[in-house]
Amino acid sequence: MKATISPPAAPSASPASSSAAPRGAIARPSSLWALRWRVMIEVARQELRDAIFGWPLYLTAAAAVLAGAVLVYNQLRSVAQSGLGIVSCALFSPLLAAASLAALFLAAWSTLAIARPRDQGALRVLFFGPVDAVGLVGAHLLAALVVYGLILLMAVPLLALLGLIANLPLSAALLPGLIASPMLVLPAVGIGLFISAIAPSGRSALLLFVIVLAFIVAVQIGYSALLQIPPTSRYYDALLFLRETARVLRDALQWLSPLALLSGGLDAACRGGTRELGLQTLAGLGGGAAWSALAVWAVRRRGVLP
Amino acid sequence: MIATEQLTKRYGEHAAVEALDLDVRPAEIYGFLGPNGAGKTTTIHMLLNLVRPTAGRVCLFGEPVGPGSFAYRRQIGVVAEEPVEISRMTGWEVVRAFARLCGVKQPEPRMEELFHALDLWDAREALAHDYSRGMRQKLSLIRALVHEPKLLILDEPVSGLDPRGIRQVREIVSAYQQRGGTVFISSHILSEIERTADRIGIMHQGRLLIEDTLAGIRQRIGRGRTLAIELASIPDSLVSRLAGEPGVMEVAVAESAPWLELLLDGQHDARAAISRIITEAGGVILGMESEEMSLEEAFVTITTQNVTRLAGAQ
C-alpha cells in the first residue's frame, strides 16, 4: 500500500496556509502558565480515566462506607447498652473515618503516580510533549482532588442515608468541614507526590510511604503509651526526655499530618469554630503547596527517565 | 534546526557524550548512527531537555534550550526506541490525548489519515497496551506526527516492524521531509539510513567522528568504490601497472577465474584510465561491475579506525 499521508505543515503558518484554515492547528497559549494549565487538565483527565476504570477507587469508597457503618453500629450499641446517647455532631466519626481513608488512599495513589510510570518509561513518553515538572505535579494534584471528591460523593450520601435510618441525621455543622476537606487532604497528596518523585523506583516509593506512615502512627501511639506511665514509676524521670520529644513531634504533626489536619478541620466545623477551620484550611493549603513545590524540585532533580 | 556546541554529558568519569557539535539543517533527513552505547539516546534526551548537559549548549529552532525549557517540544515529534503504553486508553484515545496536550484543536482528520496510512485503522478502538510491539511503534509514529511538528526525532523507528511496516514508515518520513519537515533519525538499520538520509553523523564512544553526506563520507575515508573486472586473461604486467595508477588503492586477483578486484578511492573516477591500461596491456574486458562503498562498510571502517586510534593513544 502506498502511504498517502499529508505531510506536516510547519506550525508557523505562512499567509497562504493560514488563509486555508489548517487542520489540526496548534492553539498557542498566551503564556507558559496557560500551557501548563492545559497540560494539567489533559494529564489529570488521563489520570482520572485510569482511576475510574480501576478498582482501587471503588474499593476505597466501599471501605469508607463500611468503616462509617461500623462506627454508626458502635454508637447504636452504646446507646442500646446505656439507654442514652448525647451526640453533639452526629456522623462526625463515620465521616472522619471515610475522609481519612480517602486521604490515605490518595497519599498511596500519589506515591505511585510519578514513580510507577517513570519505571515503565511512560513518563518519558509524556515528556516528549510540552510537559514540565510543574504541569505534571499540578495535574496529579488536580486529579487527586477530583478523586477525593468522587470518593466522598459515593460515601457521604450512603452514610447520610444510614444516619437517617439510625436516627443520627447528618449534622449541617459538618458541611463546611466537608467542603473544606479537599484543602485538608492536599498535604497527603503533596507528600505522596514528593515521595514518588524523589524515590529511585516505584517499589522504594511505596516502602518510603510505609515508613513515613509507620513513623506518624508510632509517634501517636508512643506518646499515648508514655503518658500512661504513672509519676510513681521509677522509669518516669528517665523517660522524661523521650516523652517531651514525642510531645513536640506530635504537636508538629498536628500541623503537618494530613490526618491530623482533617480531624482538626472537621472537629472545628463540628464545634462551629469558623476561625479554627479557616486556620486548618490555610495550613492544608500551605502544606499542600510546600510539599508540591518539593515534588516539583524532586522531579527536576531526579528526572523522568527510568 | 538543531545545533549543539561542545555538548557534553558525563556520568562520573564516564563521558556519555563528549564535545558534540551537531548541525542539522532545516528540511533535511539527518541520520545519526553509532554502535550501542555511543551516546545517541543521551544526545536525544539532551535535545529534549530530559537530561541536563554537563557542559555545552543546545539550540533548537534558533533558540537556546535552557534548564526550564519545555514549550518548544510542541514543535517536535518523537518516536522512542521502546514504545510504551500503560494507560487504559485505546490507540485512538492515546493519540487524541497527545494531540490535545499539544493544543491541536481538531486532530481527528489528521489522525484518520495517519491511522489509515499505517494500517492501524481497524485496531484504533483496541486498548493500546494490548498492541503488539510493531503496532505500538506505529502508534508512536502517529503520535509524533499528529500535531504536525517542525522536527521529527526518531530513535530506532523501524525496530519491531515487518518489511511492510518499514516501507510505510519510510514513505511517511519521506513525505514529511518533502513538505519541509526536518528529520533526525537514529537507527541501527543502516540500509534504511543509507536510503533516506541526506546527511549522516557517526557517533562512537561519545564523540561525533564524522558528519557529512554519504558521498562525502566515502570521499573522506578514501574508499569510494569497488570495481570488479572480468577479463579474458590477465596479462603479466597488468596488476603492477594498475596498482601504480592514481586513485587505485588495492588490486586483488581472483584465484579461480580471470577477475580483478580494484579498490578505488572516492576522489578520482579512474574507470576510463583503468580500461585504457588493460587494453594497452593486451587484456580484453568481458565485464565490469562497479559497487560503491555501502554505509555499513563506511560505518565499520570509521568506528574501527576510532577504536584503533584510541588503542594507539593508550
Side-chain angles (χ1 to χ4, degrees):
Chain A
M1 183 184 124
K2 177 89 175 159
T4 54
I5 202 72
S6 271
S12 52
S14 64
S17 62
S18 62
S19 64
R23 286 172 316 173
I26 290 180
R28 295 208 173 274
S30 55
S31 70
L32 282 185
W33 279 102
L35 177 60
R36 280 184 178 129
W37 177 245
R38 191 175 67 202
V39 165
M40 284 181 206
I41 298 284
E42 287 307 325
V43 176
R45 197 199 301 250
Q46 292 173 34
E47 290 297 316
L48 274 176
R49 187 196 165 86
D50 283 354
I52 287 168
F53 283 100
W55 53 264
L57 170 68
Y58 305 101
L59 193 69
T60 307
V65 173
L66 188 69
V70 168
L71 289 169
V72 169
Y73 171 75
N74 283 345
Q75 269 183 323
L76 291 177
R77 206 174 58 168
S78 163
V79 171
Q81 280 172 354
S82 63
L84 177 68
I86 300 171
V87 180
S88 65
C89 209
L91 288 187
F92 169 77
S93 303
L95 284 180
L96 178 60
S100 301
L101 270 173
L104 272 178
F105 166 70
L106 287 183
W109 188 63
S110 307
T111 299
L112 288 174
I114 295 171
R116 191 168 54 177
R118 185 174 53 203
D119 285 354
Q120 292 162 328
L123 197 59
R124 182 180 63 151
V125 174
L126 182 67
F127 271 67
F128 288 164
V131 181
D132 73 336
V134 176
L136 179 76
V137 170
H140 285 297
L141 278 176
L142 203 61
L145 285 181
V146 178
V147 167
Y148 177 77
L150 286 175
I151 294 173
L152 284 199
L153 272 178
M154 286 186 268
V156 172
L158 284 172
L159 287 174
L161 183 67
L162 194 68
L164 272 180
I165 295 167
N167 201 24
L168 289 168
L170 177 65
S171 169
L174 276 172
L175 287 179
L178 279 178
I179 290 166
S181 66
M183 312 302 149
L184 302 172
V185 298
L186 272 180
V189 181
I191 291 169
L193 288 175
F194 173 63
I195 291 174
S196 195
I198 202 80
S201 67
R203 193 173 291 180
S204 54
L206 262 186
L207 185 68
L208 205 55
F209 173 69
V210 170
I211 290 170
V212 169
L213 205 62
F215 173 74
I216 292 171
V217 172
V219 167
Q220 296 288 350
I221 293 175
Y223 182 65
S224 303
L226 288 169
L227 279 183
Q228 302 298 315
I229 298 172
T232 50
S233 165
R234 60 179 173 156
Y235 299 113
Y236 187 81
D237 289 339
L239 291 172
L240 188 64
F241 174 74
L242 197 57
R243 191 166 58 242
E244 272 306 295
T245 307
R247 187 187 61 77
V248 169
L249 282 174
R250 199 199 65 142
D251 289 350
L253 282 177
Q254 291 298 313
W255 292 99
L256 289 175
S257 159
L259 296 182
L261 282 177
L262 202 54
S263 167
L266 282 180
D267 187 48
C270 193
R271 288 185 281 104
T274 314
R275 187 172 173 278
E276 203 181 332
L277 176 62
L279 277 177
Q280 297 279 350
T281 308
L282 277 179
L285 279 172
W291 286 111
S292 301
L294 282 172
V296 167
W297 169 81
V299 171
R300 284 181 181 152
R301 184 179 166 77
R302 165 65 180 81
V304 297
L305 302 179
Chain B
M1 184 62 71
I2 300 175
T4 67
E5 288 174 20
Q6 295 294 298
L7 191 65
T8 301
K9 181 66 191 176
R10 286 202 182 90
Y11 295 101
E13 291 296 303
H14 171 67
V17 176
E18 184 77 40
L20 177 64
D21 291 322
L22 269 182
D23 174 28
V24 179
R25 298 160 192 164
E28 78 170 347
I29 297 181
Y30 187 96
F32 195 49
L33 306 181
N36 291 333
K40 304 187 300 291
T41 303
T42 305
T43 303
I44 289 174
H45 286 157
M46 285 194 282
L47 296 180
L48 294 170
N49 208 13
L50 302 181
V51 166
R52 205 172 294 175
T54 310
R57 66 177 204 151
V58 174
C59 281
L60 267 101
F61 315 113
E63 299 285 330
V65 174
S69 305
F70 68 99
Y72 74 96
R73 290 199 290 255
R74 277 178 303 174
Q75 300 175 58
I76 305 175
V78 185
V79 174
E81 191 174 357
E82 284 294 324
V84 180
E85 295 300 338
I86 57 165
S87 68
R88 289 184 173 86
M89 289 197 280
T90 64
W92 184 261
E93 288 164 343
V94 164
V95 177
R96 193 168 52 191
F98 193 82
R100 280 195 195 135
L101 206 62
C102 293
V104 183
K105 287 172 183 165
Q106 287 179 314
E108 286 80 7
R110 173 88 175 145
M111 285 167 61
E112 195 175 327
E113 203 173 17
L114 288 164
F115 271 83
H116 277 300
L118 283 164
D119 279 349
L120 277 189
W121 180 251
D122 293 336
R124 70 189 184 283
E125 296 301 339
L127 290 176
H129 64 68
D130 289 340
Y131 278 12
S132 68
R133 192 185 189 285
M135 288 165 83
R136 287 205 300 272
Q137 194 73 20
K138 288 179 178 180
L139 191 69
S140 292
L141 186 61
I142 295 176
R143 182 167 46 194
L145 286 166
V146 70
H147 57 300
E148 303 187 3
K150 281 182 185 173
L151 170 66
L152 201 54
I153 295 178
L154 309 173
D155 194 0
E156 300 294 344
V158 294
S159 63
L161 292 182
D162 56 24
R164 181 185 162 87
I166 291 174
R167 189 172 172 178
Q168 288 168 336
V169 170
R170 189 192 309 139
E171 284 169 355
I172 284 177
V173 168
S174 295
Y176 172 85
Q177 185 215 10
Q178 280 161 22
R179 279 280 299 269
T182 307
V183 185
F184 184 80
I185 180 168
S186 159
S187 178
H188 284 120
I189 303 180
L190 300 184
S191 57
E192 278 305 310
I193 298 285
E194 188 168 9
R195 207 184 287 218
T196 53
D198 298 312
R199 288 194 310 137
I200 292 158
I202 297 179
M203 287 274 284
H204 191 223
Q205 296 180 338
R207 288 185 173 275
L208 186 68
L209 300 180
I210 198 164
E211 182 186 59
D212 208 332
T213 59
L214 182 54
I217 288 174
R218 285 184 186 123
Q219 202 169 45
R220 283 165 65 172
I221 61 173
R223 278 187 59 183
R225 63 178 74 217
T226 307
L227 202 61
I229 306 169
E230 186 183 6
L231 300 168
S233 62
I234 300 176
D236 291 340
S237 61
L238 182 60
V239 172
S240 57
R241 284 186 66 185
L242 285 173
E245 181 65 21
V248 177
M249 298 171 69
E250 204 177 301
V251 181
V253 181
E255 288 177 6
S256 55
W259 277 84
L260 286 177
E261 199 169 284
L262 283 72
L263 191 63
L264 309 180
D265 68 19
Q267 293 164 12
H268 306 89
D269 187 357
R271 285 175 295 179
I274 289 164
S275 299
R276 184 176 42 78
I277 291 168
I278 292 171
T279 311
E280 283 173 4
V284 177
I285 298 172
L286 300 178
M288 189 183 279
E289 284 174 20
S290 173
E291 193 179 293
E292 285 196 310
M293 184 187 204
S294 70
L295 178 58
E296 188 177 320
E297 286 170 308
F299 178 82
V300 171
T301 305
I302 289 166
T303 51
T304 309
Q305 279 174 357
N306 189 47
V307 168
T308 312
R309 185 182 61 78
L310 289 174
Q314 282 171 1

